[in-house]
Every structure is written in structure tokens, then in C-alpha cells.
Amino acid sequence: MTPTKTIPPDVAHTPSGAAPAMGAPGAGGPNCNEDISHELQQQGWRKFWSKREGRPYFWNKLTGESLWEPPVLNRGPQQFDPLTDPLGICSSHPMGPNGPLPHNPHHSFNNAIASPQNHNHTLKRRASEDAQHNANVAASGAGGAGGQPPLKKYVLPGPWDLEVPTNVLIYERLPTTFPQPYPEIEALRGSLTMRLAKTYEDLCNKRESIAPPKDSFQRWLMERRIIDQGVDPLLPSQCSPEISPQLYREILRDIPIKIVKPKFTGDARKQLSRYCDAAKKIVERRGASEESKKIVKWNADDAYEWLRKTVGASYEDFQDRLMHLQRQCEPHIIATVRVSVEQLCTKLYHLSVQHARNIRERHALILKENGIPELSAPLQPPITRKVWCYPVQFALPSPRMPQIDYNNDRDHMVIKYTNAAVMAGADTHVINISHLQKLEQLYRYNCFDDKKFDFFIGRAYCMLKRYSTFLGNNANPNQQEPELTQAALPAVVFECLNVHFGVTFECFASPLNCYFRQYCSAFGDTDSFFGSRGSFLEFKPVSGSFQVNPPYCEELIDASLQHIDRLLTDSTEPLSFIVFLQEWKDPPLKCLSKIDDSPYKRKQVVVMGMEHEYRHGLQHCIPKTEANFKSIVGTMVVWLQNAAGHARWAPTEQRVDALLEAFRPGRERDRDKATAAVPVQTSCSANAASSPGSTPSAPEVTSGASKPSTPATV
């Protein structure tokens, strides 16, 4: 059984709160408050000892203010002093995601944060940000002989840069009420989701006599997440309306047959003939009105007559005749099958609601068995203040993790979970060693309640299982089209975006394909331990520069563009979104008109198809040589910026040319060669992973893997 730590429910993943007493005997210990007058104590002041700085500090439990110098009685409402604030809450020194940033006149973001107009921003340093600050203090000699040595720097080679600090500010937000992921629950969710997908396939085959549109089930899950307010992070359980417009539209588009672009003239002739047969069968067998039967049969017979009489017709002739037949028959076919398709969509949704309820009940039972009480009251809203963006936090702690087997197999790791109560055999997932090391590094930066990596393998399994379930339950990488698996931009493009446009954040990514260590993802509960800030549609940044590459789902793209427009309207601080959309023509995206009409559109360019590359969405489990592929369609790049964002990160001709050059095929391989030629100091976590039967442990000195204290300890 994997050892675990007991985490009190009230401190697990808590981003802020009251400061704990930190008195130390002999150094302003239990009686250190004797130095404070009774009047100051009445105002909330207490004296504590800072182990990090080696000196006392003063903290007000009523206002949250902290000072190095003794407070003055009745100073008035302006209590905060940015020059003497030991917690960095209002520090005038530029703060980065890992603590105070060194002064760098060439770093535009540092200069912006240090500018006078930003001195009034309330910036709180999180517990994970203390590690870098400790290193700075030790390097400068602060704290005397007891100062800690500088922390080790781990630079992982790969198509990512996890050392880029964020420039994104948000308002502090509530933790999520979703329970923390658990292997048995993820296995159960995967089993029920696979059953739901099989039911959907059977309904399409038996009721509508068509194969389910390719990947329509995954797009249905994405589209439902936009409006779902239910109890499950994957399966829809509380949506209005119940009928998905996306699913309804895709099914109707394939009735009576799926129309594809033929390769040859003979294929075009066969498709026209098949459409005639299928259209006549629909109106004859599905109870169409007499008028619909008459019109559809007449048009189908007319097309048959044309096929018999016409000799030597061209490819275009057959295509034109098919389009004419569609225009005549489609309204009558839709009227005939509309009720049936609506019932299919409704039944699929109700089954999903039932599965989500069963999953939640089982999860609640596991929490109860582990002595974790359910939330009895709504969470209190946090203090409204700006903070550096931080991962999703949980209101409930994690149960004890079960045993999960794993072993090294050459250049990848095999993670295996067995639970006879949920599935017949072992559930196996494969991940490359380089991506496993990446997950460990992300875990160090973003996980606050597991310093010793006791839960790492369990949480990595839950994350891998969630994406496997979403993509079709252990999808075979060789059978997946790379464009449909959330492909990522090449690393050289991200480097260019960071250098020229200040981008430090991805709005649609995952722990497996992210370039930066801060990003939004579809599943904030499983991904938060690896840096996810949750769903982009629920993420409300105040300032920052972002890369936006949403999956191809019209409702999701539409909702994202509306969300970006609201963010740019609401903030006067620098905000920039660089949107990447692949130009799929069938069907065309109607929501793209929002981009043309947007007052925040600053620039738009198109990278031609077959002239640029993407990274495969399953890059974590395929050979490195297959990770890059040429995009068969063009990519539209749009800059959406408010006035302040445009002033800072304007898409000048020189910057845009640099981005287009970064897209050139082969640049990724050139980068890999250059990286391989430079020696780097890497983590030794692969060695830990190579010994079966033991959980990978973090090095003694880690960065950002400690629990968050309340407030950030000094």
C-alpha cells in the first residue's frame, strides 16, 4: 500500500487564510506578544518569528496586514506598507510566479509591474512562490549563517520550457467543490463512458441506419461542458437544453448518407446513386407525409433517369446533380427524421445523467470510508485582490491512494491499475520517460499537498485515464488522426510567441502537450496537480499574454471568442490573445464572423496548408520521430488585444514575420539538434521510475511542492 499523509480538510489546497502562530522558544516564542501593547492587541496585532528571515514580524489577524517594523497605534485606514511587508502581499519589488523577480531593465513585464501605475495592485505571493525567494535570500546572504543554500535548478530537455514565469494576474477565486480524483472512480468513469459511447453507436445504427459521425461523441462531451453545471467533470449531468445542437446537427448532416468528396468520377456516380436509394427508403419506412414522399420519390426517380441516359458525364456533372438532389430532398428528410434524432440526443443525455449520479455516489462513499466529510456549507468568497495565476485548488482533501503498479520498458513507463470490482482486467497506460519527467517537474511546481510524491503515481494514472477515456478509451495512437487529438503548436513557435509577444500561458492545453507550466485545460480536477488553471471559459485573467488554440468544435470556439471579447472589454490592463484556428472548410465555422466584427482585432494572417507543422496530440506515447506532422489545412492566426495589450505586444511586421518563419517545416528538428548539443542538468526522477514497486520520490530540495500555509510562511 502506498504510504500517505493525513491532511486536515481545512488546510488541504487552501490558497489563503489566517496566519498560523509561528513562535519559537528563545526567539520571540510563545510569550513574544508581551512586547505588544494591549491597545495594539485589541486592534488585531500579533508578533511572530520568521524562521526564514531570522527575525520577528508583526501580523494583524483582522486586516491581514504584515510588517517588519512594530505597528503604530491608530495609523488610520492605510495600514499596508509595501516597503516593510514581509509576506510580499503589497511588495513594490516586482514579483514573479516563484517570488520576487530580479531587476532586469530589458524585461518588459518586470518594468511594467514595477511601474508607478501598478504600485497599488494587491499581489499576494503563494506558498509555491517561496522556494525561489528562499534561493534569492540565501544567495544574497540574507538570514545570516542560517540561510538556506540555493535550490537546484532542473532543466528538462524536450519540446517545452517549464521555467518561463507567468505574467498573468487574476483575482483570487474559490477552490473547486469537485472531490479530488481517485483511481477507482476514474476506472469506473471510463467504463461507464465507454458503455455510453457504445449505446450512442447502436442508436445511430439501428434507429437512423447510419454510422455515428466520426468523433461526434467527443465533440458532444466538449460542447456539453460549455453549459454543464453538473456533478461530474466529464459526463454531462445538468445541461439546458438537453438536446445538443452540435450532435443534432452532425447526425442530420449524415442522413440519409454521409456526403464525402469523391476522388474519382466513378465514385461521384456511385455516391449519387446511393443517395437516391437512401432517400427513398427514409420516406417509405419512416412515416413521412404524403407530400414529402411524393417530392422525394419524384426527385430520386428523376436522378435515376438522368444516370441511365447520360453517357460520359464529368466529375462536376455528378457533383452538381447531387447538390441539386440534396436541396430538393433535404427539407423533407429532416421533417421525417427530426423527432427521432431529438429522441436519440435526449436518451443519450439522460443515460449520461444516470452514469454521473452513480459515479458521484460511489465517490461520496469512498470519501466517507476515508473519514472525509462532505461540505456542509457554501464556501466563503475570498478577499478581492489580484494574485499571480495559480492552479485549481480543492475544498476537500484526497483519500488514501490504492496500489498502482508501474515499470520501465526501455524508453517509456507502463502504469497499470487493477480493480476487479470495476473492470475485468488491468487498465494499462504508457507514457514516454521524457513526458514522465515533465509531469514530475510540473508536479513540483504546482502540487501543494504532496511534498514527498506519495500521491504522484495515483494522480498521474487518473490524468492519463481521463484523457484516454475522452479520446475513446485507450485509443490506439496509430488509429488516431493527429488533427483530431488536440494537436499542439511546435516548440519553436511557442519560443517565438514568448520572445516577441510576451506569451506565457496556453488557454487550451493538457499536462501532456503543454509548453508552459501554466495553462488552462478541459479537466481542471485531474490536471491541477500538473499546473492546470481549470477551464478557459471559467478563467478570468486581469492581464497577461495568451496563446489560444481551441479544439475544432464550433460551439466551443464560439464560446471562447465571446469570453475573450468580455475579458478585453472588462480590463484596462494589458491583455493579448493570439488565436490559432485551423481552416477546415467542411463544415465552415459560422462563428468566425465574430472575429471580423471584433473591435479588438489587430492583425490576421494565414499560414498555408502543407507549409507548416503541428505536434501530435498523443506525443506522450508515440515515437519521437512521429510527433511532428504537416497540417493539411491552413492555420489562421488572429491577434485580439485591448489598447494596453496592443501598446505592449503589437503585431508589428517584424514580429509577425518572425512568427511565420518559426512555422516553417524543419525548424522543430533544428531546435532539437541545437538542444541536444547543449548539456543540461536534468532531474534524476527517471532513475526512481526505473525501480518497480516504489513510488517516484522528489529530490530532497524541490521547487514548489510544499503545502500552502495560511498565509505564505516567512
Side-chain angles (χ1 to χ4, degrees):
M1 186 67 70
T2 305
T4 184
K5 302 187 294 295
T6 302
I7 306 168
D10 58 334
V11 300
H13 283 283
T14 305
S16 64
M22 298 181 346
N31 58 349
C32 60
N33 286 317
E34 294 180 357
D35 297 341
I36 304 179
S37 66
H38 178 71
E39 291 79 5
L40 288 174
Q41 293 188 34
Q42 287 291 99
Q43 291 185 2
W45 287 103
R46 298 292 185 272
K47 185 177 180 181
F48 300 94
W49 182 257
S50 169
K51 294 181 180 179
R52 186 181 70 197
E53 304 292 344
R55 55 172 171 160
Y57 72 98
F58 301 86
W59 178 74
N60 192 311
K61 68 177 184 179
L62 301 179
T63 65
E65 180 182 3
S66 51
L67 300 170
W68 287 125
E69 305 300 330
V72 179
L73 188 63
N74 297 325
R75 287 195 300 147
Q78 299 296 330
Q79 295 288 315
F80 287 89
D81 183 356
L83 298 178
T84 60
D85 180 52
L87 300 185
I89 295 176
C90 295
S91 174
S92 62
H93 192 65
M95 296 287 295
N98 293 320
L101 295 171
H103 177 68
N104 185 351
H106 303 293
H107 196 303
S108 60
F109 177 62
N110 292 356
N111 295 338
I113 292 297
S115 62
Q117 60 267 32
N118 287 315
H119 279 177
N120 293 328
H121 294 169
T122 304
L123 302 180
K124 176 193 170 189
R125 189 173 71 235
R126 312 198 64 73
S128 61
E129 299 163 0
D130 286 333
Q132 184 64 38
H133 180 67
N134 290 345
N136 295 341
V137 171
S140 61
Q148 300 180 11
L151 299 182
K152 295 180 181 179
K153 188 78 168 179
Y154 296 100
V155 180
L156 295 180
W160 50 70
D161 188 348
L162 306 182
E163 310 307 317
V164 175
T166 185
N167 58 12
V168 178
L169 294 175
I170 63 173
Y171 286 105
E172 193 154 7
R173 53 185 180 174
L174 286 171
T176 179
T177 57
F178 279 127
Q180 295 198 32
Y182 191 73
E184 179 182 335
I185 298 302
E186 279 308 312
L188 176 62
R189 181 178 286 115
S191 175
L192 293 178
T193 303
M194 182 178 65
R195 186 188 308 175
L196 187 64
K198 184 64 170 63
T199 301
Y200 168 60
E201 182 179 353
D202 292 342
L203 288 172
C204 288
N205 289 329
K206 296 176 181 178
R207 181 174 293 190
E208 308 304 334
S209 300
I210 63 169
K214 185 174 177 61
D215 295 303
S216 58
F217 184 76
Q218 284 70 35
R219 284 190 291 272
W220 175 71
L221 292 175
M222 282 192 289
E223 184 267 336
R224 296 282 84 185
R225 292 308 308 162
I226 299 172
I227 60 175
D228 187 32
Q229 301 295 322
V231 296
D232 193 88
L234 176 63
L235 293 174
S237 58
Q238 188 177 337
C239 301
S240 180
E242 295 181 354
I243 298 175
S244 163
Q246 169 268 332
L247 190 63
Y248 176 80
R249 186 174 60 246
E250 288 198 40
I251 294 175
L252 283 183
R253 191 183 298 133
D254 283 5
I255 296 177
I257 65 170
K258 179 177 177 61
I259 303 297
V260 298
K261 187 175 182 180
K263 291 184 178 179
F264 307 105
T265 303
D267 296 333
R269 181 188 181 93
K270 290 178 182 178
Q271 183 166 251
L272 176 58
S273 179
R274 286 178 53 237
Y275 190 94
C276 292
D277 290 338
K280 289 180 68 174
K281 289 179 181 178
I282 285 283
V283 295
E284 289 173 354
R285 300 177 181 179
R286 303 291 292 273
S289 66
E290 292 300 323
E291 181 69 16
S292 295
K293 288 181 181 179
K294 179 181 177 181
I295 294 175
V296 172
K297 286 184 178 180
W298 185 87
N299 280 279
D301 291 340
D302 184 55
Y304 278 133
E305 188 70 18
W306 181 84
L307 283 171
R308 283 193 295 267
K309 291 182 177 180
T310 304
V311 178
S314 66
Y315 178 95
E316 289 76 15
D317 292 336
F318 288 115
Q319 288 293 88
D320 292 342
R321 191 74 191 191
L322 177 61
M323 291 178 62
H324 171 75
L325 185 61
Q326 271 189 287
R327 285 195 297 268
Q328 298 299 318
C329 298
E330 193 173 59
H332 302 281
I333 293 176
I334 290 177
T336 303
V337 303
R338 177 179 58 82
V339 174
S340 176
V341 174
E342 289 178 349
Q343 290 175 349
L344 186 155
C345 295
T346 303
K347 183 172 183 178
L348 184 67
Y349 170 73
H350 287 165
L351 287 173
S352 176
V353 172
Q354 182 180 342
H355 290 335
R357 187 184 306 116
N358 294 339
I359 293 170
R360 189 57 179 254
E361 290 174 356
R362 178 57 188 155
H363 210 157
L365 183 60
I366 291 176
L367 294 178
K368 185 177 180 181
E369 292 172 351
N370 283 267
I372 301 175
E374 295 184 4
L375 293 174
S376 57
L379 300 175
Q380 295 299 317
I383 299 175
T384 303
R385 54 184 169 186
K386 295 175 186 175
V387 297
W388 298 104
C389 72
Y390 57 93
V392 172
Q393 308 292 298
F394 289 90
L396 295 173
S398 174
R400 185 182 182 88
M401 285 285 177
Q403 178 179 344
I404 297 179
D405 300 322
Y406 56 93
N407 62 281
N408 253 16
D409 186 0
R410 296 184 179 179
D411 60 346
H412 59 268
M413 171 180 273
V414 179
I415 300 177
K416 186 183 299 183
Y417 174 63
T418 305
N419 189 321
V422 179
M423 49 196 172
D427 185 32
T428 303
H429 298 272
V430 176
I431 182 172
N432 299 333
I433 289 297
S434 60
H435 281 78
L436 176 68
Q437 291 178 312
K438 175 189 179 183
L439 290 183
E440 292 181 352
Q441 189 77 329
L442 289 170
Y443 199 78
R444 291 187 185 97
Y445 278 127
N446 298 287
C447 185
F448 302 142
D449 70 339
D450 188 22
K451 185 176 182 179
K452 296 184 179 179
F453 277 44
D454 294 334
F455 296 170
F456 173 76
I457 283 294
R459 287 168 171 170
Y461 165 80
C462 290
M463 184 269 296
L464 290 169
K465 179 63 176 176
R466 178 71 60 82
Y467 282 96
S468 172
T469 300
F470 174 70
L471 292 175
N473 200 65
N474 294 325
N476 185 346
N478 298 324
Q479 299 176 356
Q480 289 282 330
E481 294 183 25
E483 294 90 348
L484 301 176
T485 56
Q486 186 50 28
L489 297 176
V492 285
V493 176
F494 276 114
E495 290 175 352
C496 177
L497 291 174
N498 176 246
V499 171
H500 293 283
F501 299 100
V503 174
T504 65
F505 194 103
E506 297 165 76
C507 296
F508 292 92
S510 76
L512 301 169
N513 70 3
C514 65
Y515 177 84
F516 303 109
R517 70 169 180 256
Q518 47 273 334
Y519 56 90
C520 284
S521 68
F523 309 116
D525 60 328
T526 55
D527 302 348
S528 64
F529 310 106
F530 310 100
S532 174
R533 273 58 173 164
S535 168
F536 173 62
L537 299 181
E538 299 174 359
F539 187 66
K540 299 178 181 178
V542 179
S543 67
S545 184
F546 303 83
Q547 177 262 3
V548 187
N549 180 26
Y552 192 82
C553 173
E554 182 163 358
E555 283 75 14
L556 179 59
I557 295 174
D558 188 21
S560 301
L561 293 177
Q562 293 184 41
H563 185 57
I564 291 173
D565 186 78
R566 286 192 296 269
L567 294 174
L568 293 171
T569 302
D570 294 343
S571 179
T572 58
E573 298 190 37
L575 263 181
S576 172
F577 296 89
I578 306 179
V579 184
F580 296 80
L581 295 173
Q582 290 183 285
E583 288 194 307
W584 295 97
K585 303 296 185 182
D586 186 24
L589 292 175
K590 298 178 182 178
C591 61
L592 294 184
S593 60
K594 289 185 172 60
I595 292 180
D596 296 330
D597 299 337
S598 174
Y600 303 108
K601 177 182 173 182
R602 308 295 179 176
K603 182 78 174 179
Q604 177 176 327
V605 297
V606 174
V607 187
M608 301 303 295
M610 301 304 293
E611 295 183 7
H612 64 292
E613 295 179 331
Y614 275 84
R615 291 191 64 82
H616 200 294
L618 300 178
Q619 58 182 278
H620 65 283
C621 58
I622 63 176
K624 186 177 180 181
T625 54
E626 301 176 10
N628 288 76
F629 66 95
K630 283 190 177 181
S631 177
I632 61 177
V633 297
T635 296
M636 181 172 66
V637 187
V638 184
W639 282 259
L640 300 174
Q641 302 169 328
N642 62 8
H646 181 64
R648 181 174 299 182
W649 301 298
T652 62
E653 183 177 352
Q654 182 180 4
R655 291 173 173 175
V656 173
D657 289 344
L659 180 62
L660 296 177
E661 172 63 19
F663 260 118
R664 180 172 55 81
R667 288 294 305 276
E668 184 91 354
R669 290 185 292 275
D670 296 342
R671 175 191 182 274
D672 292 343
K673 291 178 182 178
T675 303
V678 180
V680 294
Q681 182 180 4
T682 61
S683 168
C684 299
S685 52
N687 297 332
S690 64
S691 57
S694 63
T695 303
S697 58
E700 218 171 75
V701 180
T702 61
S703 174
S706 59
K707 298 180 191 175
S709 55
T710 48
T713 49
V714 294

